Amino acid sequence: AIGALPTRLADLARGDLASLRAFLSGRRTRGTSLAAQLDARHDTEKQDTLLTWAARHGQAEAVRLLLEAGASVGATTGTGRAALFIACQEGH
């Protein structure tokens, strides 16, 4: 799990990218691979990844940062929805 996850998700939903940038800049010091952390499903209602959460909330800059860092464009929520589908469904 990613440290301070509830705060990071709330920050992403608001478009505050400071904690995401800090997480991504410190990625080389973590034991778990970055890809595994980026694509992990989290304890949200829909079991979102960071990418699907950012897409759900219309945070295009966060989506860009996550994809550039190696998040899988094909990663899905626990209900099988990918970020692109979610963004379209939410009107983003």
Side-chain angles (χ1 to χ4, degrees), residues 10-78:
D11 290 348
L12 276 177
R14 287 192 317 272
D16 178 354
L17 303 180
S19 65
L20 178 61
R21 286 189 173 105
F23 164 67
L24 295 174
S25 69
R27 65 185 180 262
R28 290 182 180 83
T29 63
R30 294 184 174 12
T32 307
S33 78
L34 177 62
Q37 291 182 56
L38 290 176
D39 295 338
R41 291 181 183 150
H42 301 287
D43 190 22
T44 63
E45 182 182 343
K46 309 278 188 197
Q47 293 182 312
D48 284 288
T49 66
L50 290 175
L51 182 62
T52 61
W53 182 262
R56 181 178 313 287
H57 293 280
Q59 300 301 330
E61 181 65 9
V63 168
R64 184 185 67 76
L65 291 170
L66 289 162
L67 290 172
E68 286 177 355
S72 173
V73 71
T76 61
T77 65

